[in-house]
Amino acid sequence: MERIPILRMGDFLLVTIQVDMHDRLAMTLQDDLTRQIVASNSRGVLIDISSLEMIDSFIGRMLSNISLMSNVLAAQTVVVGMQPAVAITLVELGMSMPGVRTALNVEKGMMLLRECLDSDDSEVEDDAS
Amino acid sequence: MMLLKSESLPIVSEQDIVRARQVARQWAIDLNFKLIDQTKFVTAVSELARNTLIYGRGGFMLLEAVEKDLRKGLRAVFEDRGPGIPDIEEALKDGFSTGNSLGLGLPGAKRLSNEFEIISQPGEGTRVTIARWT
Ligand SMILES: Nc1ncnc2c1ncn2[C@@H]1O[C@H](COP(=O)(O)OP(=O)(O)OP(=O)(O)O)[C@@H](O)[C@H]1O
Ligand SMILES: [Mg+2]
């Protein structure tokens, strides 16, 4: 079965979406990522969508679900590289993608993930003291 | 109005939704649509093709390149012989869904298009037409 590869980079998972996904492929990615977060004890997920030329309500919902699901599993998701035309179209479509954090590119996304994790860690320390 | 080109594509599988948006993208590029207009049109096509497949139980998309008053445009007609839409006004509201979904497809496709029309007869089927001009 066709699958979108998930790369493991230390504590993080990296997914680069390079194909025009049909609906089942998007669902499979959502399931695979959820499983991978647990299996590799990941704390962050980066989803690079810079090659995506369109996000409709189905793909938008998948990105939103991944973000919400990762939060439940104590991980953060950052979606990076959304093209301006795609972003404008999403707004007009009425899709707000609740819970989705975005960054301009992979480097900025990685920084954002690190910041999120650092602040999570300090919260834990605060609670302990 | 002048018809420049037309093609009918079946919408009977998820892969056909992908195919519909790819053909729509290529035609929009061929007509020199700006990137943002390409993206809006393709996104509307994706939403309507999915509705045709899921609610209409399959059908087809008729894609037409047209020219009117020296302006070029794309028109897409989605037709199915499914159960139809009992209350079109309701179906066009943001958030209305009988499929436990977001209810964004129809109202979103309307916002993303310059022209939008639905004709639906319960028990007979649904036809949604959109157009976008360069
Ligand atoms: N071709 C069709 N045949 C029959 N009913 C339809 C058709 N298209 C839409 N509908 C009805 O109109 C409702 C609204 O459609 P719309 O695309 O806006 O939302 P949705 O498909 O339910 O959710 P989303 O598109 O956000 O995933 C659908 O839930 C369905 O009841
Ligand atoms: Mg829909």
Side-chain angles (χ1 to χ4, degrees):
Chain A
M1 197 176 87
E2 193 187 0
R3 278 199 142 83
I4 295 175
I6 300 172
L7 243 81
R8 195 173 161 181
M9 291 173 29
D11 277 353
F12 299 154
L13 298 175
L14 174 66
V15 178
T16 307
I17 301 175
Q18 275 166 328
V19 290
D20 193 343
M21 288 182 291
H22 56 77
D23 294 358
R24 207 161 4 87
L25 187 56
M27 291 303 291
T28 306
L29 175 61
Q30 186 179 315
D31 294 346
D32 285 353
L33 257 177
T34 314
R35 219 169 302 124
Q36 258 310 309
I37 291 171
V38 175
S40 48
N41 223 330
S42 300
R43 310 211 42 208
V45 178
L46 267 182
I47 305 178
D48 183 355
I49 58 163
S50 53
S51 308
L52 265 195
E53 294 181 319
M54 182 226 60
I55 295 182
D56 61 8
S57 63
F58 197 91
I59 296 171
R61 187 153 74 142
M62 172 209 68
L63 292 172
S64 188
N65 282 347
I66 290 173
S67 296
L68 298 170
M69 215 100 77
S70 65
N71 282 342
V72 174
L73 301 170
Q76 295 284 343
T77 294
V78 177
V79 171
V80 304
M82 190 187 297
Q83 295 178 17
V86 172
I88 294 167
T89 302
L90 264 180
V91 172
E92 208 160 296
L93 181 63
M95 177 92 224
S96 57
M97 297 213 292
V100 176
R101 284 171 197 258
T102 56
L104 277 182
N105 52 40
V106 173
E107 294 81 65
K108 294 228 163 71
M110 200 75 92
M111 270 166 55
L112 183 58
L113 271 184
R114 293 237 155 78
E115 277 166 27
C116 294
L117 294 181
D118 286 348
S119 68
D120 280 2
D121 289 345
S122 62
E123 265 167 44
V124 174
E125 279 162 28
D126 289 349
D127 289 349
S129 62
Chain B
M1 180 133 55
M2 207 162 59
L3 184 62
L4 304 172
K5 193 177 169 188
S6 84
E7 186 177 336
S8 178
L9 292 104
I11 309 284
V12 293
S13 72
E14 283 183 1
Q15 202 53 52
D16 292 336
I17 302 175
V18 176
R19 169 104 183 114
R21 55 194 192 221
Q22 284 170 348
V23 174
R25 169 78 65 177
Q26 191 52 54
W27 284 33
I29 292 171
D30 293 346
L31 287 192
N32 283 323
F33 270 47
K34 283 186 282 178
L35 178 61
I36 182 69
D37 295 323
Q38 291 172 26
T39 308
K40 287 181 181 183
F41 184 70
V42 170
T43 306
V45 162
S46 187
E47 293 296 340
L48 297 175
R50 185 175 294 104
N51 282 353
T52 298
L53 178 68
I54 294 178
Y55 302 109
R57 303 179 198 131
F60 64 88
M61 170 177 85
L62 175 67
L63 187 62
E64 294 179 330
V66 289
E67 185 171 332
K68 191 165 102 187
D69 306 328
L70 294 175
R71 258 178 114 189
K72 290 189 172 142
L74 285 176
R75 188 162 57 193
V77 184
F78 298 84
E79 208 172 302
D80 65 64
R81 302 207 150 268
I85 303 176
D87 187 341
I88 290 177
E89 207 181 313
E90 190 78 8
L92 275 170
K93 285 187 186 147
D94 275 314
F96 176 83
S97 174
T98 57
N100 191 23
S101 193
L102 299 171
L104 287 180
L106 282 180
K110 185 175 180 184
R111 282 189 290 269
L112 292 169
S113 305
N114 298 132
E115 289 167 31
F116 182 91
E117 185 194 58
I118 299 190
I119 298 172
S120 188
Q121 204 61 46
E124 288 184 17
T126 300
R127 184 165 75 214
V128 183
T129 306
I130 54 168
R132 180 138 200 124
W133 299 94
T134 47

